[in-house]
Amino acid sequence: VIDKTCAIREPGPVAADAVESSGSGLDPEISLVNAVRQAPMVAAARHLSMTSVTALIDRLAVHRFLGFIGTDHVNVLKLNLALDQQKTR
């Protein structure tokens, strides 16, 4: 379940992958926490509702294998393609 209460410029903890990921900015996945934190900015930039953006994040989220192996994450390309489809509706 996604916490939809974060504001566009809300101060607070930043997801580790937002700071420690590769310098290229071309990482194929971002953490679920990072995706949720960016959702308000994505919704505003794409002129979509916050509800539709968080619903896509929820739908595309990949959760830990067996509940403890790996991290919860979202594939950035798949999310962007899904967001593009929302725009055409």
Side-chain angles (χ1 to χ4, degrees), residues 6-88:
C6 58
I8 291 178
R9 291 191 174 91
E10 178 183 290
V14 176
D17 65 313
V19 179
E20 298 173 353
S21 59
S22 75
S24 69
L26 299 175
D27 299 308
E29 287 104 16
I30 60 173
S31 69
L32 186 55
V33 170
N34 195 2
V36 170
R37 183 154 177 82
Q38 293 182 43
M41 293 174 278
V42 171
R46 289 182 172 259
H47 307 288
L48 296 171
S49 71
M50 181 68 174
T51 303
S52 64
V53 173
T54 54
L56 283 174
I57 292 170
D58 254 344
R59 187 173 57 119
L60 296 171
V62 177
H63 297 283
R64 296 176 181 193
F65 181 68
L66 298 176
F68 66 94
I69 298 172
T71 59
D72 296 335
H73 63 275
V74 178
N75 181 289
V76 176
L77 176 61
K78 288 180 181 178
L79 179 58
N80 281 325
L81 290 172
L83 288 165
D84 288 345
Q85 288 298 315
Q86 287 286 340
K87 189 85 171 183
T88 60

